[in-house]
Amino acid sequence: AGIVNCKIQDMDYHRSIGVGIEFLGGKVGSLTKVLRFSPRWVLVNRTEHRLKLRQAHTRAQHIELVEGQPVPLYTGHIKENFLVVTLADRVSKWSYPFNIDQIDDIHLKLIYSDGQTPLHNTMDPDLSTFYVVRVSVVQKGAVTYVAFDKSDAPYFIENRTDAVIRVQQKPIGPTYQVNGR
């Protein structure tokens, strides 16, 4: 399996496709190879919400993902392929960027308005209306699948000391203050 990238003229983006080679097998096809071209990435929404995604650090047009409908993605950034996600069916903020080339599971907290609490210009860690999404990036052959699932928060932080503790998810993210008991 491999990847073919074609730079788009005068832009920082490229057209990216996956390439796989397989033998047919059997008597007739023992020497025949199949060259298969496929989307570089396939995005799959397995949550009950419609999701919007776009390239991070841009105002690029978003892609809308409906539950259960795989969407191929062919265009990537030349240096890095980070996306951001938000809820399409709620007034919500864009997530922190995540890398669709890094095989991993990550959790994103999508903050949205409950209709009474206004959204601020900054990420508000005390805003209680949020939806946690697990993003799973897996490679199968020449295709990288990026799947979105509803999830519970992966960690609960409990401070049983008399000190104030501040925690932050690296490399980016807000700082949370956890008061002692």
Side-chain angles (χ1 to χ4, degrees):
I3 301 165
V4 175
N5 293 318
C6 303
K7 187 176 182 321
I8 299 172
Q9 189 173 352
D10 300 326
M11 298 190 75
D12 288 335
Y13 294 93
H14 58 80
R15 185 95 166 144
S16 189
I17 56 174
V19 180
I21 301 173
E22 297 177 19
F23 284 99
L24 277 181
K27 284 186 173 183
V28 177
S30 63
L31 299 176
T32 304
K33 297 176 189 168
V34 176
L35 184 61
R36 181 170 292 129
F37 295 97
S38 58
R40 172 68 177 94
W41 301 276
V42 174
L43 311 173
V44 181
N45 179 6
R46 297 189 296 220
T47 73
E48 67 268 17
H49 292 280
R50 287 186 348 250
L51 300 175
K52 288 192 297 190
L53 289 100
R54 73 170 187 222
Q55 196 79 26
H57 313 298
T58 70
R59 297 271 182 211
Q61 184 176 359
H62 70 265
I63 300 168
E64 190 161 317
L65 294 180
V66 178
E67 180 183 3
Q69 179 185 359
V71 174
L73 179 65
Y74 297 95
T75 305
H77 197 274
I78 288 176
K79 295 179 185 170
E80 57 188 23
N81 288 300
F82 284 83
L83 297 181
V84 290
V85 62
T86 189
L87 299 172
D89 52 4
R90 307 267 174 112
V91 176
S92 60
K93 291 186 164 284
W94 289 98
S95 71
Y96 286 105
F98 57 95
N99 189 343
I100 60 173
D101 287 329
Q102 182 175 337
I103 307 302
D104 200 0
D105 281 357
I106 62 165
H107 289 79
L108 298 173
K109 181 179 178 180
L110 303 181
I111 298 173
Y112 66 91
S113 173
D114 58 8
Q116 298 171 353
T117 308
L119 290 173
H120 304 290
N121 288 336
T122 59
M123 289 291 196
D124 186 351
D126 297 324
L127 193 59
S128 61
T129 312
F130 62 91
Y131 186 78
V132 179
V133 173
R134 183 182 71 220
V135 181
S136 301
V137 180
V138 295
Q139 180 124 19
K140 291 184 182 176
V143 180
T144 301
Y145 291 89
V146 183
F148 300 86
D149 294 286
K150 181 185 185 322
S151 180
D152 295 322
Y155 295 99
F156 178 80
I157 300 170
E158 186 176 34
N159 181 3
R160 293 186 177 189
T161 72
D162 60 355
V164 173
I165 297 175
R166 290 183 177 83
V167 293
Q168 179 183 25
Q169 186 173 339
K170 292 289 183 179
I172 57 174
T175 300
Y176 297 92
Q177 181 172 309
V178 183
N179 295 322
R181 291 187 176 215

